Amino acid sequence: MNSQKKRKDMEPACTWSLLSEQKAASSSLASFSWKELTDYRKVFRKHLKEKYLKKGVDKCYHHGKHIESRLLVVKEHCISEKPPCGIPQQNNFIEMEHIFDPDEEGSSLSQTVVLQGCAGIGKTAVVHKFMFDWAAGMVTPGRFDYLIYVNCREISRFANLSAADLITNTFQDIDGPILDVILVYPEKLLFILDGFPELQYPVGDQEEDLSANPLERKPVETLLCSFVRKKLFPESSLLITARPTTMKKLHSLLKQATQAEILWFTDAEKRAYFLSQFSGANAAMRVFYGLRENEGLDIMSSLPIISWMICSVLQSQGDGDRTLMRSLQTMTDVYLFYFSKCLKTLTGISVWKGQSCLWGLCSLAAEGLQNQQVLFEISDLRRHGIGVYDTNCTFLNHFLKKVEGGVSVYTFLHFSFQEFLTAVFYALKNDSSWMFFDQVGKTWQEIFQQYGKGFSSLTIQFLFGLLHKGKGKSVETTFGRKVSPGLREELLKWTEKEINDKSSRLQIEPMDLFHCLYEIQEEEYAKRIIDDLGSIILLQPTYTKMDILAMSFCVKSSHSHLSVSLKCQHLLGFEEEDRASAFMPPTLTLNQPFQLRNWPVSPLHLLCQALRNPYCKVKDLKLIFCHLTASYGRDLALVFETNQYLTDLEFVKNTLEDSGMKLLCEGLKQPNCILQTLRLYRCLISPASCGALAAVLSTNQWLTELEFSETKLEASALKLLCEGLKDPNCKVQKLKLCASFLPGSSETICRYLASVLICNPNLTELDLSENPLGDTGVKYLCEGLRHSNCKVEKLELSECSLSAACCESLAQVLSSTRSLTRLLLINNKIEDLGLKLLCEGLKQPDCQLKDLALWTCHLTGECCQDLCNALYTNEHLRVLDLSDNALGDEGMQVLCEGLKHPSCKLQTLWLAECHLTDACCGALASVLNRNENLTLLDLSGNDLKDFGVQMLCDALIHPICKLQTFYIDTDHLHEETFRKIEALKMSKPGITW
């Protein structure tokens, strides 16, 4: 029986020729000579090349050829990663044809490549073009002998499949020892998994079920995971296409994969595509430039599927439809526009008949989505009211296509069509005259959970769009049925419930929710939802222009104080062109010598437009991995011209160009700007930009907090900043310069800062932690701290390379200033001598210090007598942190004498990892029995046994003990001690353990 006959004998909908394990096992390399195997290899390769070359004349490839196979290689960076500062890497673009090429060191980029892109971006078209180019010998010459293409959606209907089934299906038109020949060189194999599915089960649950046997049949999801985890054919290469929603779980499966984002149409590519679709250049350009009049549609048409639908409809329609096109705002609008215009192409049959076909397609789509089915037989179509004669109708060719090689097997032209029609089905499902309810038993809520695990489901996004109040008439005209009454309110209430449920909210990606809210286009409802969120954190590695459009729509609708964090490392679809934005309102100007409107728009343009909305009340804005060019600076500057709510601006790992920073600073000097906090965390900034910022300090009356954490500043840059800080008009109260000094500049910078402390009475908090100040630098600083004008209340000098040599200067500050209430000296080599000097300052009557942190300061029990003496006289100290110092039991017993003194008003005592044992617990217990002020005691990390803990419990139960928080290690304690602890918890339930 030849293979063609075998195919005919199979179920028509099954286009997969499944090789039995027995037949596969019966083949053996020993049965064939080397010459025969070589001949087979040539035959098989020729077969694949001819098969893939046919895609060159396929209509889908015709659309795909306008999609430049230019990819963005995405490396996801964690915000907490250590140096370098600024953006981790510039965008790394690569042509698809080079994705498997060796790098400069001669090794391949990766054996596994994932092409990520949203629905309609052209993932399949890019893959088909790659297959065609491989067959033509234009890409990866000599790298791959065979390309095994697998459409993941088509195989999802099968219960079980093996890797052998996937391979033999590729060669279903020929006979021969397929597996034996192909697997001789597994490293020459490339498996293409197109449309990798959203995984339905936790990855960890599948690990033990994964298979390394190519003949073993497994559930489809398990089989695909076996490929991705490299259990199957570990030497082979993988090319995977997936939607962003799939990537969330797919990431955990991948090993050393290259992730690449398929880029949207550029303006040039879109123009070329439109010119190819219209018979005349004038007609094409009228449509192309007409898109510019509708910003939302112009952005959406950068998706190839949207451009294809627009061109398909407008090729045969008049200018009236081009006018209507300008009203399209959402994806739902475009799909509804396409289906409604296709209905008007009917010839020879009635509109009612066309609507009947569409009704059938809706139920067919919904049933298929429910059953994970994308291939349909004639019998499937008949069950949904679509007859055989309908399948030959030109009208249905707008939505369905015959599967290549299939016997009367059909699929939707694009999977998004099936998702859209499913949404229509649920929007109209409650209509009393609807048919086929028994075919689709799931509710829309169950579809919500099945596909996308949240608002990421494109079907759900379409459902939101269809329920817009103004679309009811259009839906009814196209599909002949009214939108289900009450469904809109049901969906909106259900969404609010999901947002308000804390466990559900944690699983929601905010951007997915934004797309749903954008589709429904109801600002009042969006406002309610966004206000419930409170904060928006967007940390995905890539975002598209459509994402930013949807987010901006939601942000501008927020009427409550909102916090927004956006990772800007890869914002796709934006081009910095030489023209100003066509969409920037002409009334926006700044009274300054910069020609702001001549700068190109930035990727933040849409967000900044939203921030300029008078009703937008975003309070905090954090921009991560942002390259602050002139266009970024201009767009942000324009926000501060009108926005009177934005008070906190933070740049995290940004590269701040001088041009961008100068323009931003011009905005910060505007009268309406009320920015109070500016933070730069691990950014790159030049002295020139610091000079621009210094000018802001002398004019902005609102800016009270300035932070440069891990942002390296040259001495010249600090000098310019200090000039601004010394200005009489400067209102900065908090200055944080953690890990910001360059080596060798600390002493000079401390002198600059000392002059600031003398001149600026507004400065109350100074944090210089993680800078190598050294003892000399601190001595210079103390000159400013002792000045009568200095009002610093909180001073942080942790990890500043200090020793006992600077403590005398610090003690003089303690004894001479009444403003300093908090001093942090964590992780400095203060030692016992240094603390002795500090205690002299603590004993002075003018010392007002309330909080002293000496964590990891190389102290021993010798220092405890000095501390004890200070506690005898100091009535202001409330918090003392001595953690990670080797005080020992004897030292602790001495310190307890001071803790029991009536003058001691200490409330919080940290003694973690202080080398304590049961021997000091009696002294500690006596403190608890007599000290009515102590509310927190930390004894974790010490060697306390049952006897000591029980003594402490006996003291804790005493009425005079006011302890509210008690930290202690309990893992090693015996049952009797646990019973005593439980009894204590019952008698004093207010204590936190």
Side-chain angles (χ1 to χ4, degrees), residues 23 90 137 144 192 242 338 374 457 581 750 930 946 950 956:
K23 179 177 178 181
Q90 295 298 317
F144 301 118
I192 301 174
Y338 176 82
V374 296
S457 165
S581 171
C750 285
R930 298 173 62 178
D946 292 275
Q950 289 186 30
L956 285 167

Side-chain angles (χ1 to χ4, degrees), residues 473-718:
K473 184 176 181 181
S474 181
V475 172
E476 183 180 357
T477 302
T478 304
F479 295 95
R481 293 291 183 271
K482 292 183 178 180
V483 173
S484 170
L487 180 58
R488 176 183 172 279
E489 286 70 26
E490 180 186 350
L491 178 64
L492 301 187
K493 287 180 181 178
W494 181 83
T495 302
E496 288 187 83
K497 178 177 174 293
E498 287 288 300
I499 295 300
N500 291 323
D501 184 273
K502 290 184 179 179
S503 60
S504 296
R505 186 189 299 186
L506 291 174
Q507 302 176 32
I508 296 172
E509 173 60 37
M511 196 62 80
D512 298 330
L513 175 63
F514 296 160
H515 279 289
C516 290
L517 297 176
Y518 180 78
E519 288 297 315
I520 203 168
Q521 286 285 304
E522 294 186 18
E523 291 191 15
E524 186 59 32
Y525 177 68
K527 181 186 81 67
R528 293 210 319 261
I529 296 297
I530 299 302
D531 288 352
D532 286 340
L533 287 178
S535 65
I536 297 169
I537 302 175
L538 303 168
L539 301 179
Q540 294 300 315
T542 61
Y543 290 108
T544 67
K545 201 170 187 177
M546 192 66 205
D547 290 332
I548 304 302
L549 178 66
M551 179 191 72
S552 301
F553 170 81
C554 295
V555 165
K556 77 175 182 181
S557 301
S558 171
H559 289 189
S560 69
H561 296 300
L562 189 66
S563 174
V564 177
S565 298
L566 175 63
K567 191 174 181 180
C568 309
Q569 184 182 356
H570 300 300
L571 298 181
L572 307 179
F574 294 90
E575 294 179 86
E576 290 202 342
E577 300 169 349
D578 292 333
R579 60 179 178 84
S581 171
F583 310 112
M584 186 177 292
T587 56
L588 284 177
T589 59
L590 290 179
N591 297 322
Q592 55 177 333
F594 294 92
Q595 297 298 317
L596 295 180
R597 294 213 30 191
N598 292 331
W599 291 103
V601 296
S602 75
L604 291 183
H605 168 61
L606 294 170
L607 175 59
C608 290
Q609 276 189 328
L611 293 172
R612 294 199 297 268
N613 187 302
Y615 298 106
C616 177
K617 294 185 179 179
V618 170
K619 181 184 178 183
D620 305 322
L621 178 62
K622 180 187 289 187
L623 299 175
I624 305 162
F625 293 154
C626 171
H627 192 179
L628 191 71
T629 60
S631 57
Y632 273 96
R634 183 276 320 275
D635 288 342
L636 285 169
L638 291 172
V639 170
F640 292 108
E641 185 193 46
T642 56
N643 187 296
Q644 297 188 12
Y645 297 99
L646 188 60
T647 59
D648 289 66
L649 178 61
E650 181 172 0
F651 294 103
V652 178
K653 284 193 173 182
N654 285 237
T655 297
L656 308 173
E657 290 190 4
D658 289 343
S659 58
M661 199 64 188
K662 287 176 181 177
L663 287 172
L664 172 61
C665 288
E666 291 299 321
L668 296 179
K669 290 190 284 187
Q670 295 303 303
N672 284 330
C673 176
I674 64 164
L675 193 74
Q676 297 173 12
T677 302
L678 178 62
R679 298 187 183 93
L680 281 72
Y681 173 72
R682 297 182 66 188
C683 295
L684 288 177
I685 186 170
S686 73
S689 292
C690 287
L693 189 54
V696 172
L697 301 180
S698 63
T699 56
N700 187 304
Q701 299 297 297
W702 292 88
L703 194 61
T704 57
E705 184 172 350
L706 191 59
E707 178 179 338
F708 289 84
S709 293
E710 297 188 44
T711 297
K712 298 302 180 183
L713 299 171
E714 298 178 16
S716 58
L718 258 300

Side-chain angles (χ1 to χ4, degrees), residues 767-906:
D767 187 353
L768 302 177
S769 300
E770 300 179 57
N771 288 300
L773 304 185
D775 298 321
T776 305
V778 169
K779 288 177 182 178
Y780 288 129
L781 192 66
C782 287
E783 292 176 8
L785 290 167
R786 291 197 301 268
H787 197 277
S788 58
N789 281 345
C790 178
K791 304 301 179 187
V792 169
E793 300 171 2
K794 177 181 176 183
L795 178 62
E796 295 192 38
L797 299 174
S798 301
E799 297 186 52
C800 286
S801 303
L802 307 183
S803 73
C806 71
C807 290
E808 184 174 359
S809 298
L810 287 171
Q812 291 172 0
V813 172
L814 294 177
S815 61
S816 62
T817 175
R818 300 182 65 86
S819 62
L820 190 63
T821 58
R822 188 179 189 196
L823 177 61
L824 279 66
L825 297 171
I826 297 169
N827 201 14
N828 285 293
K829 202 171 183 180
I830 299 299
E831 299 181 314
D832 297 336
L833 176 59
L835 184 55
K836 182 180 184 69
L837 294 169
L838 288 174
C839 287
E840 290 303 314
L842 288 171
K843 290 188 289 184
Q844 299 306 310
D846 284 338
C847 179
Q848 303 292 310
L849 199 70
K850 295 180 179 179
D851 186 347
L852 177 61
L854 298 167
W855 182 12
T856 319
C857 284
H858 300 259
L859 306 176
T860 71
E862 296 295 322
C863 74
C864 290
Q865 186 62 59
D866 295 306
L867 274 172
C868 180
N869 294 338
L871 294 176
Y872 284 157
T873 59
N874 188 304
E875 298 186 357
H876 301 287
L877 197 64
R878 298 291 183 268
V879 180
L880 179 61
D881 189 347
L882 299 172
S883 298
D884 195 24
N885 288 292
L887 303 184
D889 295 323
E890 291 184 9
M892 194 66 243
Q893 289 168 356
V894 172
L895 182 61
C896 286
E897 293 303 313
L899 294 170
K900 290 187 291 184
H901 195 278
S903 296
C904 178
K905 299 295 189 290
L906 204 67

